[in-house]
Amino acid sequence: IAVKLYDVLMNEKNLKNKNKSKIIDLNKVYDIIFNKTKLNENQKTFLALNLEILSQIETKKSCLLAVDMLESGDILDKYFINIPKINNTKTMQEFDDYGLNYAYPLDQEIYDNLQSIIDNKGSMKDILDFLIALQQKQKCFTNYKTMKTILSYIMNTVYFSKCASDDDEKNEELAKSLLIAKRIKQKTELGRIINLLHCKGEEKDDEEEDEEDEEDEEDEEEEPDDEDEEIDGHSVLIISNIISISSSLNNSNNGLLSLLKTIEVANLIK
């Protein structure tokens, strides 16, 4: 069903229909599924169908198109919030298994608490503590909305507003100070925030990693390298958001290249 619905969405005649009101978009698809069928009577199948449609868009097109469709149709707040047992751990795990954490509908309280931190000019540590507290509470703890809000606030506050005009060397040093930790295997506050925005938990500390490295050394040698490994969708969204933030400043993307290079060096792209 999901594949057929994807084909309808992306059908060339549908997309080029001059009568905009007759174009079948994601909003119309979910409106039918949620409001004009009884599919929600089978919770497991209903959840899988909703996520599979989105997964088809992400896999065959991109996560950027998926988010654009989610945002334009207000899908999270109009539909996904009404998925049966949406706050259930198993439901969150399903979103995580699909790699669609960014599409999980968070409670309004989370958005309000985040906005309160920003309104009070909170520090990076305040944002980090906010994310860590959420991560310890629930499996899906951030989505494309909170990602956009957090990156916009932090990047404007601690980086782009402090970039030197036409001085790539100084900008690179600023980026390194924010993203490169003094000790190996440690992350800066900003690095940890970016890691959490991938919807993954905090990584283990140095000692635990060292022990596991020693135990798995031989296994790593035997494992074949993954060819054409796909970049995590959350990484794509993070980079896209950063580029959009820079472009909105209308300053010839001053400091953007230095920041992107440093993010890659800091191994923050999954």
Side-chain angles (χ1 to χ4, degrees):
I1 295 175
V3 173
K4 290 181 179 178
L5 287 172
Y6 168 83
D7 289 340
V8 170
L9 282 169
M10 297 301 162
N11 181 274
E12 189 173 350
K13 289 183 178 179
N14 175 55
L15 295 173
K16 292 184 177 181
N17 195 323
K18 294 181 179 179
N19 188 338
K20 300 298 182 183
S21 65
K22 290 188 177 182
I23 292 177
I24 299 173
D25 57 14
L26 196 61
N27 180 62
K28 288 184 179 178
V29 167
Y30 280 129
D31 178 48
I32 293 170
I33 292 172
F34 277 79
N35 301 320
K36 297 177 176 63
T37 71
K38 294 183 179 180
L39 290 170
N40 63 355
E41 291 179 355
N42 185 320
Q43 181 193 343
K44 186 175 181 181
T45 302
F46 184 69
L47 176 60
L49 173 60
N50 284 298
L51 295 182
E52 185 60 37
I53 293 170
L54 206 55
S55 180
Q56 287 287 315
I57 297 169
E58 181 187 72
T59 303
K60 295 179 179 179
K61 293 296 182 178
S62 75
C63 60
L64 298 177
L65 178 59
V67 167
D68 183 62
M69 289 181 164
L70 289 171
E71 196 165 25
S72 62
D74 195 21
I75 304 300
L76 272 60
D77 292 336
K78 284 174 66 176
Y79 303 111
F80 282 11
I81 196 69
N82 296 313
I83 290 174
K85 298 183 179 180
I86 188 61
N87 293 319
N88 186 283
T89 301
K90 289 183 179 180
T91 302
M92 292 187 188
Q93 185 61 55
E94 196 73 11
F95 272 83
D96 186 67
D97 289 344
Y98 269 92
L100 295 173
N101 309 61
Y102 63 79
Y104 183 81
L106 298 169
D107 291 339
Q108 184 60 43
E109 182 182 4
I110 292 176
Y111 299 125
D112 293 342
N113 290 340
L114 175 58
Q115 192 58 51
S116 178
I117 293 173
I118 292 171
D119 290 343
N120 288 299
K121 303 186 186 302
S123 64
M124 274 201 295
K125 186 178 185 306
D126 291 328
I127 298 290
L128 177 60
D129 290 343
F130 168 78
L131 287 173
I132 291 174
L134 283 176
Q135 177 253 320
Q136 292 173 344
K137 183 180 178 182
Q138 59 190 65
K139 183 73 176 177
C140 293
F141 57 92
T142 182
N143 60 22
Y144 77 85
K145 293 184 179 183
T146 52
M147 177 191 293
K148 183 177 181 179
T149 300
I150 288 171
L151 287 174
S152 179
Y153 174 67
I154 287 180
M155 291 302 169
N156 279 316
T157 303
V158 305
Y159 183 71
F160 287 121
S161 63
K162 298 182 179 180
C163 281
S165 179
D166 300 321
D167 194 332
D168 291 339
E169 189 173 335
K170 283 187 178 180
N171 293 336
E172 189 168 336
E173 287 303 313
L174 174 60
K176 286 180 178 179
S177 70
L178 292 169
L179 292 165
I180 306 294
K182 294 180 180 179
R183 292 182 60 189
I184 297 175
K185 292 187 179 180
Q186 283 191 341
K187 283 186 171 65
T188 61
E189 287 181 344
L190 181 53
R192 293 171 70 188
I193 288 171
I194 291 176
N195 185 63
L196 286 164
L197 289 178
H198 280 85
C199 303
K200 302 298 181 185
E202 287 271 76
E203 295 178 354
K204 298 175 182 178
D205 60 31
D206 290 355
E207 291 183 5
E208 287 179 314
E209 285 188 355
D210 289 340
E211 287 175 6
E212 289 191 358
D213 286 345
E214 290 174 8
E215 291 173 4
D216 297 337
E217 216 169 54
E218 293 183 4
D219 293 337
E220 287 178 359
E221 291 178 0
E222 295 174 2
E223 290 177 0
D225 292 334
D226 290 329
E227 293 183 5
D228 301 324
E229 186 177 348
E230 293 185 5
I231 297 176
D232 183 273
H234 294 89
S235 283
V236 175
L237 292 174
I238 288 168
I239 294 301
S240 176
N241 270 288
I242 290 173
I243 292 173
S244 295
I245 293 164
S246 175
S247 297
S248 69
L249 298 175
N250 296 316
N251 63 355
S252 301
N253 292 313
N254 185 39
L256 177 61
L257 182 58
S258 297
L259 179 61
L260 295 179
K261 285 169 59 179
T262 307
I263 287 175
E264 184 177 13
V265 170
N267 197 29
L268 295 171
I269 299 301
K270 307 299 181 184

